Amino acid sequence: MLFNSIEFLLFLPTVFFLYWFVFKNQLRAQNVLLLVASYIFYGWWDWRFLSLIIASTFLDYFIAIQLGKTDIAKKRKFLLGISLVGNLGMLGFFKYYNFFVASWIEAWSSVGITMEASTLNIILPVGISFYTFQTLSYTIDVYRKEMQPTKSFIDFAAFVTFFPQLVAGPIERASHLLPQFYKKRAFDYQNAVDGVKLIIWGMFKKVVVADNCAFFVNKIFENPEAYSSGELFVGMVFFAFQIYGDFSGYSDMAIGISKLFGFDLMVNFKFPYFSRDIAEFWRRWHISLSTWFRDYIYIPLGGSKGSQWFQIRNVMIIFLVSGFWHGANWTYVVWGLFHALLFLPLLLFNLNRSHLITKSYGWLDFAKIGVTFLVVCIGWVFFRADSISDAFQYLAHMFELKSLGLSLFYKTNANLMIFGLSVLAVGILSLQELFWVIKKRELPEVSAFGALLLVLLIFFMGSFKNQMDFIYFQF
């Protein structure tokens, strides 16, 4: 069920009405309602995959209960191992089985040995990477004795499946979201208004910015050889705004919808395209994932302690794993490696934390923002391309600079109109976020007039005929 669908337009008010009017002040009933609603929301794509999320829920609920009953180190490690193998095993099979089989065959073929192996027609369950990491955070935190195991299966299941952020994040920590299911929630009018404004802003980023840009992005990346260097450059930049508008738009809507039900989700994006180096970019981009890797992999590996070689190793592991998390394709691994190579010089020269505090922005800051945005865009080419060779061909053709023509964007009246809408949408987004960055905001703060204006922009500029699934659903 998409946030920008008719089905969800009917689903959300129905759940909201039942939650606040039928089950008002009934905490248990509200949590059961959220659980049932979340199963309906998730099962809307394919009800068969509910079995996976239910299995993961049962596994980690009972593992945590057993962890709470023993202090024996070996037993605790064994129980944690069961959780890791069970959850990562399901994720690995559904997401990476065919990838590993194909890579194995290709590796032997490269040395002249022909092998045959069967692949399976495996459908990737929506959001499996997100809810797997969310439920694992619970088991790991209980293992570390950073939180007590919950006795309520309903509360835990509602935490795992909470529909606003179930399929594309933010990836919530159990220590932050789960306790919110224990407490009675009173309707807060201002909180709900703020939530609606965030939903509108997120919808603008999705249907006006991302989906309009997607029209040209899909054309250009499908056949880059047919387009000029100028058109390839615009396609690259449009994809940067497509993926940002799509993914951060979903996060904004998820946070806004959660506010309607009295829940607080973590901030997942802090205007990342206004970063002055790659380190700052990763403090602003997909924060719930980057902090998950930091706390559960990077720090246990030793973090930035130890020799430089250990630091380099840890950074490389984190970025490569981050790339691989995104999908079963070597392009994602190269994308992660690309960011690791950009990050390492900052780490080695102790510059990776140089932009933690900003009093004001000067011309040098904006020059750094421009350079950082350009290199991030180059990385996005690997993320979007079907193969590594396609990505290199795209970049090689773009940097040939043989032709800077932009005829694609005005060859038909329809193309000219969509191009104009895309440029206008990107401009509105960028100027608004620039204002919030200068004002040191962490979340979008939309006024009542601004929300009304955004609704009009969505209505008149939204790409409803070119409606696209959220990109991160595939991860």
Side-chain angles (χ1 to χ4, degrees):
M1 194 180 298
L2 298 173
F3 283 171
N4 55 326
S5 67
I6 297 297
E7 294 88 348
F8 190 75
L9 190 63
L10 299 174
F11 171 83
L12 181 60
T14 301
V15 178
F16 181 85
F17 175 80
L18 292 172
Y19 186 86
W20 288 118
F21 292 94
V22 177
F23 300 119
K24 183 180 180 181
N25 298 324
Q26 300 177 53
L27 180 62
R28 182 77 170 178
Q30 286 180 330
N31 288 348
V32 171
L33 172 65
L34 289 177
L35 177 59
V36 172
S38 297
Y39 282 151
I40 293 172
F41 176 84
Y42 190 78
W44 203 262
W45 281 284
D46 193 326
W47 62 269
R48 294 172 297 177
F49 290 128
L50 281 172
S51 60
L52 294 178
I53 198 168
I54 291 172
S56 183
T57 303
F58 270 104
L59 174 65
D60 285 313
Y61 173 76
F62 287 110
I63 288 292
I65 293 292
Q66 295 305 311
L67 283 170
K69 294 179 179 179
T70 182
D71 288 322
I72 302 173
K74 287 185 178 180
K75 187 175 181 179
R76 293 178 64 82
K77 288 181 179 179
F78 177 73
L79 290 168
L80 177 63
I82 293 175
S83 174
L84 292 172
V85 170
N87 285 290
L88 297 179
M90 285 188 285
L91 175 63
F93 176 76
F94 282 94
K95 191 168 184 175
Y96 300 107
Y97 174 82
N98 284 340
F99 168 75
F100 282 122
V101 170
S103 297
W104 177 259
I105 294 171
E106 187 177 341
W108 283 107
S109 297
S110 65
V111 294
I113 299 176
T114 301
M115 297 188 66
E116 293 185 4
S118 60
T119 56
L120 302 175
N121 185 25
I122 299 173
I123 301 173
L124 179 65
V126 174
I128 188 171
S129 298
F130 288 89
Y131 71 71
T132 297
F133 274 33
Q134 182 154 311
T135 187
L136 276 178
S137 76
Y138 169 71
T139 312
I140 296 171
D141 284 352
V142 172
Y143 170 78
R144 292 175 171 178
K145 297 185 178 181
E146 294 177 359
M147 65 180 302
Q148 293 297 314
T150 181
K151 296 180 180 178
S152 170
F153 178 78
I154 295 296
D155 292 353
F156 179 67
F159 152 74
V160 174
T161 62
F162 190 44
F163 76 86
Q165 46 83 230
L166 171 59
V167 294
I171 302 170
E172 279 293 336
R173 304 296 180 82
S175 57
H176 177 242
L177 181 57
L178 183 55
Q180 297 182 52
F181 286 94
Y182 304 157
K183 303 174 183 177
K184 284 190 175 181
R185 299 174 287 274
F187 181 76
D188 186 314
Y189 174 78
Q190 187 57 52
N191 200 42
V193 170
D194 291 341
V196 171
K197 291 176 181 178
L198 269 178
I199 295 169
I200 293 170
W201 176 245
M203 188 68 71
F204 167 79
K205 288 201 281 187
K206 168 58 179 170
V207 302
V208 180
V209 179
D211 287 355
N212 276 312
C213 287
F215 177 82
F216 290 111
V217 169
N218 293 339
K219 284 180 178 291
I220 292 170
F221 274 87
E222 281 174 6
N223 187 23
E225 296 84 3
Y227 300 103
S228 70
S229 298
E231 289 162 345
L232 292 177
F233 181 81
V234 174
M236 177 184 72
V237 172
F238 272 9
F239 178 67
F241 282 99
Q242 180 198 355
I243 193 169
Y244 174 60
D246 188 288
F247 190 24
S248 70
Y250 185 96
S251 289
D252 289 339
M253 285 186 273
I255 295 170
I257 293 167
S258 299
K259 285 180 177 291
L260 294 180
F261 296 94
F263 287 87
D264 172 61
L265 299 185
M266 70 179 296
V267 177
N268 209 20
F269 292 87
K270 294 182 180 179
F271 319 120
Y273 289 157
F274 289 94
S275 303
R276 287 154 291 183
D277 57 40
I278 288 298
E280 186 179 13
F281 174 80
W282 280 103
R283 288 194 294 271
R284 293 173 175 269
W285 177 273
H286 202 175
I287 299 166
S288 63
L289 179 67
S290 59
T291 54
W292 198 100
F293 282 130
R294 179 197 66 194
D295 294 343
Y296 297 116
I297 300 179
Y298 182 69
I299 292 177
L301 284 173
S304 57
K305 299 178 181 178
S307 67
Q308 281 195 341
W309 287 113
F310 275 105
Q311 294 178 38
I312 292 170
R313 181 204 65 176
N314 295 343
V315 167
M316 293 296 290
I317 289 173
I318 287 300
F319 278 104
L320 290 175
V321 170
S322 176
F324 200 49
W325 176 90
H326 282 86
N329 194 322
W330 289 111
T331 54
Y332 298 116
V333 177
V334 172
W335 173 74
L337 176 62
F338 177 78
H339 277 269
L341 295 176
L342 293 172
F343 184 88
L344 281 174
L346 298 174
L347 177 69
L348 296 177
F349 290 99
N350 295 318
L351 298 174
N352 56 307
R353 301 178 68 82
S354 58
H355 297 301
L356 292 176
I357 301 174
T358 302
K359 293 182 178 179
S360 62
Y361 284 83
W363 289 109
L364 180 59
D365 292 300
F366 287 109
K368 291 179 180 178
I369 288 170
V371 172
T372 303
F373 177 70
L374 178 61
V375 296
V376 167
C377 285
I378 292 171
W380 286 135
V381 173
F382 291 96
F383 194 96
R384 177 61 175 78
D386 292 330
S387 67
I388 296 172
S389 60
D390 287 349
F392 279 115
Q393 288 174 9
Y394 188 107
L395 292 171
H397 189 27
M398 185 180 75
F399 284 115
E400 281 178 353
L401 302 178
K402 286 185 177 180
S403 171
L404 299 177
L406 300 175
S407 60
L408 167 66
F409 306 114
Y410 58 80
K411 66 188 301 184
T412 67
N413 289 335
N415 282 17
L416 181 60
M417 181 184 71
I418 296 173
F419 179 67
L421 289 174
S422 300
V423 172
L424 180 59
V426 167
I428 293 171
L429 172 68
S430 301
L431 289 174
Q432 181 60 77
E433 293 202 344
L434 173 61
F435 174 78
W436 286 328
V437 166
I438 293 173
K439 293 293 184 180
K440 298 182 176 60
R441 305 286 194 264
E442 289 196 350
L443 263 179
E445 295 183 7
V446 182
S447 65
F449 176 76
L452 177 61
L453 181 60
L454 286 171
V455 170
L456 294 175
L457 291 175
I458 291 169
F459 183 78
F460 289 108
M461 295 173 58
S463 178
F464 297 104
K465 289 185 178 180
N466 188 39
Q467 191 180 66
M468 308 285 292
D469 284 350
F470 286 88
I471 294 174
Y472 266 68
F473 280 12
Q474 64 185 296
F475 306 135

